[in-house]
Amino acid sequence: MAKIAVVFWSGTGNTEAMANAVVDGIKAAGSDCDLYQVDDFKVEDMADYKAFAFGCPAMGAEVLEEDSFEPFFADAEKKLEGVPVALFGSYGWGGGAWMDDWSERTKEAGAKFIGSVVAENAPDDETITECENLGKDLAKAV
């Protein structure tokens, strides 16, 4: 069975809640997955997985978290050609433009883009369901 990695950064717990829902969806679809905070996952570890769900909230001027997640993703995107990828994250201001930029960046890296889910602040029940469905869609793409 192909394994999926869910890799995220969360400052307040909102994106972590979304990550857990993505994991629930992946498992509900019958796939195996591992959940990692970004500091516990290295680009070299990507070879062990067939698909990825990446989660990061909007920071600053609607960018990825700059100390841990952005440096990781800058290296990871070089390994995404043809790989199924889903994105998720939360924001507290702006309109979620960081996800549009991140999604486009992921597509430009050649990933098989599955979709994205965003939450304004804490994810509500509807957003949790969307995250579970995103996980199911990712599992089906592997």
Side-chain angles (χ1 to χ4, degrees), residues 59-81:
M59 303 293 287
E62 291 214 47
V63 296
L64 297 173
E65 189 276 330
E66 297 172 294
D67 293 329
S68 295
F69 200 89
E70 173 57 41
F72 163 77
F73 195 76
D75 285 338
E77 68 187 313
K78 298 170 189 164
K79 298 181 178 277
L80 296 181
E81 180 75 37

Side-chain angles (χ1 to χ4, degrees), residues 12-56:
T12 62
N14 294 339
T15 301
E16 182 173 12
M18 296 173 80
N20 287 320
V22 172
V23 167
D24 290 345
I26 292 167
K27 289 182 177 180
S31 290
D32 190 17
C33 70
D34 294 321
L35 178 66
Y36 296 96
Q37 290 188 25
V38 70
D39 289 335
D40 298 326
F41 189 82
K42 305 296 176 234
V43 171
E44 297 78 31
D45 299 329
M46 291 176 69
D48 297 332
Y49 297 92
K50 298 296 182 197
F52 302 92
F54 296 116
C56 186

